[in-house]
Amino acid sequence: MPGFTVAIVGRPNVGKSTLFNRLVEQRKAIVDDFSGVTRDRQYGICDWNGKVFNVIDTGGFVSDSEDVFEREIRSQVHIAIDEAHVILFVVDAGSGATPLDEDMATVLNQSKKPVILVVNKVDNPERQIAGTEFYAFGFEKVVMVASASGHGTGDMLDYVTDLIPTDYINDEDVIWVEEENEYGELIKVPYPKNPIPKIAIIGQPNAGKSTLLNALTGKQRTIVSDIAGTTRDSIHTHYNMFEKEFVLIDTAGIRKKKNVNEDLEFYSVIRAINAMDEADVCMLLIDAEIGITAQDVNIYSLATRKGKGIVVLVNKWDKIQGKQTNTARDYERELKERLQPFCDVPVMFISAQEKQRIFQAMEKTLEVYENRQKKVPTSLLNEVMLKEVETYKPPMVRGHNVRIKFAMQLPTMVPSFAFYSNHPDEIKKPYQNFLENKLRQHFGFNGVPIKIFFRKK
């Protein structure tokens, strides 16, 4: 399912980052936040009233400035606007409309994207009256907020979710089932009627994504069709290999978009986010000569938060000089140290250029897909896990024994398990990690994030 993306834009110092932090840190249903690859950009995932969407925070927009930094931000704001489905245009009621606000309004009117004008810092009646001057910008949807306190942000999010079309998911392709979210609420979620593995190739520019795609889609397989993706420059290749049918989501065409390095990296992250939303498994390419970078770790972390299966491919391994018997082993150990806490992922050393181990990498990726679909029978789950619980019991809390009496796998697309206890709120992260390690040990979820919830028995 492709992702729905909302971009927060505006001139400097109007409270864009405060609004972003309000959404990703203090709303109960927010999933996670993710630091961007450049100075003022951040990425988050928001769930409001059961509708999930991506949020992009951008730097302050300054038109016509020759300052290198401000010119770079301006370019990246244009990229965010181009990629987003909805724009939150933030202005400051305290300082009133400025020429920079007017320039931003002109840009947004030209974009033809849905815009919600967010008049920020409205924390008293005088500010609310002052904020009415922004109606002159001509935007249909205007909301007064105080992002520091959260006032009005609920109405703003209602506006956003109203713009997510009800037919965003094609009902002909899915069935709707009820599942329990992490707050114990039953929500309806889509499941594919005829699931076909969707695999995204993600990673930094120049890591070898295009080369890998070209190598995989050569004469060795039968292409069914090339279908234009849900976003520009994204191609979905639907084909058969190893007697398996799957869709490969290509995000490698980004070099045509911009030539500036930071623009390219910013664009690549947006592309990766969109690809992750639709994919079941992500193949994260890392340049062996450069090694894993902060941007790689950030993209990896976001994929894990989204519950995607992951295979790490160290590309250009043929270019590493002086390899010895333990070179790959040591490289993998150091790489997994950077990927903690979730580092139970396959790591393969490939050369897309030389087609070394690329088809083994595809086989491993399909194995991770099967791991993500794995369902553990309730009887077997309790037989195995309750023995582990009995062997290593949860720590006592204020003199009370914490007991786990029952476990079940939840009917979710991401492997999720509920453990029922007399004191579920008292079970801490270290014991949750113990349970996750035992689930992996006994049932094999290599490459797949696991979610664990504790419920009152």
Side-chain angles (χ1 to χ4, degrees):
M1 180 177 63
F4 196 87
T5 301
V6 176
I8 302 174
V9 304
R11 64 175 176 82
N13 302 317
V14 293
K16 297 183 301 299
S17 294
T18 303
L19 178 62
F20 177 85
N21 289 336
R22 167 64 53 177
L23 299 182
V24 302
E25 292 180 359
Q26 298 187 24
R27 298 308 303 186
K28 162 181 141 174
I30 296 304
V31 179
D32 190 33
D33 68 292
F34 167 60
S35 295
V37 298
T38 51
R39 283 156 287 195
D40 289 324
R41 268 64 63 200
Q42 292 185 326
Y43 310 85
I45 310 167
C46 182
D47 182 342
W48 183 256
N49 291 336
K51 291 188 176 180
V52 180
F53 54 92
N54 299 310
V55 184
I56 303 174
D57 183 23
T58 66
F61 181 88
V62 180
S63 60
D64 300 325
S65 171
E66 292 304 316
D67 178 83
V68 173
F69 180 51
E70 291 178 343
R71 186 170 67 244
E72 181 63 35
I73 290 177
R74 183 168 66 247
S75 178
Q76 295 186 10
V77 168
H78 280 288
I79 292 172
I81 292 171
D82 194 40
E83 292 302 307
H85 298 87
V86 175
I87 312 298
L88 297 180
F89 174 25
V90 183
V91 295
D92 184 348
S95 59
T98 71
L100 288 177
D101 292 321
E102 294 172 1
D103 291 342
M104 185 82 257
T106 300
V107 170
L108 293 175
N109 279 316
Q110 292 172 349
S111 75
K112 307 302 182 184
K113 293 289 181 74
V115 175
I116 299 171
L117 178 61
V118 181
V119 184
N120 193 24
K121 305 182 185 179
V122 180
D123 48 15
N124 58 54
E126 290 77 16
R127 290 277 180 92
Q128 187 156 8
I129 294 172
T132 58
E133 70 170 306
F134 291 101
Y135 282 92
F137 288 164
F139 296 107
E140 180 181 352
K141 295 186 182 298
V142 180
V143 60
M144 306 278 184
V145 309
S147 56
S149 66
H151 173 73
T153 55
D155 292 337
M156 180 196 69
L157 287 168
D158 286 340
Y159 280 147
V160 171
T161 53
D162 285 345
L163 290 169
I164 300 178
T166 55
D167 61 350
Y168 194 60
I169 300 170
N170 188 345
D171 284 336
E172 294 180 358
D173 299 328
V174 302
I175 56 175
W176 291 87
V177 299
E178 284 191 338
E179 72 171 39
E180 189 178 19
N181 66 14
E182 60 183 294
Y183 304 106
E185 305 161 335
L186 285 177
I187 60 173
K188 287 191 174 181
V189 297
Y191 274 72
K193 289 180 180 177
N194 299 301
I196 297 175
K198 291 185 178 180
I199 300 163
I201 303 175
I202 62 176
Q204 293 196 57
N206 302 316
K209 298 186 298 297
S210 293
T211 306
L212 177 61
L213 178 77
N214 292 337
L216 289 172
T217 56
K219 296 180 181 179
Q220 294 86 349
R221 90 305 165 246
T222 302
I223 295 179
V224 178
S225 61
D226 285 336
I227 308 167
T230 57
T231 51
R232 288 185 306 281
D233 300 336
S234 180
I235 299 297
H236 294 42
T237 305
H238 181 185
Y239 64 113
N240 294 321
M241 183 183 287
F242 315 120
E243 300 182 352
K244 298 260 188 186
E245 183 181 14
F246 60 96
V247 173
L248 195 63
I249 304 173
D250 168 28
T251 62
I254 60 175
R255 290 181 183 82
K256 299 176 183 177
K257 189 69 180 180
K258 292 288 179 181
N259 294 321
V260 180
N261 287 337
E262 287 199 10
D263 284 347
L264 192 61
E265 293 184 2
F266 181 64
Y267 187 76
S268 72
V269 173
I270 297 176
R271 227 355 131 244
I273 290 171
N274 289 334
M276 286 178 206
D277 285 321
E278 195 168 357
D280 300 298
V281 181
C282 297
M283 296 194 299
L284 173 61
L285 262 67
I286 293 173
D287 189 323
E289 295 181 294
I290 298 175
I292 189 167
T293 67
Q295 183 182 349
D296 294 319
V297 173
N298 286 335
I299 294 175
Y300 174 88
S301 298
L302 187 59
T304 65
R305 301 307 190 274
K306 288 176 177 284
K308 306 302 179 179
I310 305 176
V311 176
V312 178
L313 304 181
V314 182
N315 191 27
K316 307 180 186 179
W317 191 242
D318 57 310
K319 296 184 178 180
I320 299 298
Q321 302 297 322
K323 291 192 289 287
Q324 299 179 358
T325 304
N326 296 329
T327 302
R329 184 199 65 185
D330 295 341
Y331 195 108
E332 180 175 348
R333 184 178 63 248
E334 294 176 7
L335 187 150
K336 287 190 173 183
E337 287 177 358
R338 292 289 306 276
L339 299 180
Q340 289 182 353
F342 173 52
C343 55
D344 181 24
V345 293
V347 176
M348 300 196 67
F349 298 85
I350 70 167
S351 169
Q353 183 71 44
E354 302 297 329
K355 298 185 180 180
Q356 292 177 356
R357 292 179 289 279
I358 62 171
F359 297 108
Q360 293 93 322
M362 277 305 314
E363 289 178 322
K364 181 60 67 174
T365 300
L366 293 173
E367 287 179 16
V368 170
Y369 172 80
E370 294 299 329
N371 289 345
R372 193 168 182 263
Q373 310 304 308
K374 189 174 295 183
K375 305 299 179 186
V376 181
T378 302
S379 58
L380 178 60
L381 179 67
N382 281 274
E383 178 184 346
V384 172
M385 293 305 296
L386 292 186
K387 287 182 180 177
E388 296 290 356
V389 170
E390 188 63 27
T391 301
Y392 177 51
K393 297 179 181 179
M396 294 182 64
V397 177
R398 294 184 294 275
H400 298 290
N401 290 322
V402 177
R403 296 185 298 274
I404 294 176
K405 293 296 186 182
F406 182 72
M408 65 176 292
Q409 185 172 359
L410 300 174
T412 58
M413 293 160 66
V414 179
S416 305
F417 297 86
F419 289 83
Y420 291 84
S421 170
N422 58 336
H423 296 290
D425 295 336
E426 304 297 341
I427 301 176
K428 306 304 180 184
K429 186 66 175 178
Y431 197 79
Q432 179 178 328
N433 293 340
F434 163 75
L435 294 176
E436 178 178 337
N437 291 335
K438 291 303 179 182
L439 285 168
R440 294 186 181 281
Q441 175 184 326
H442 290 291
F443 302 114
F445 287 97
N446 181 235
V448 182
I450 292 176
K451 295 183 178 180
I452 294 178
F453 307 107
F454 298 104
R455 299 282 181 264
K456 182 71 175 178
K457 179 63 176 176

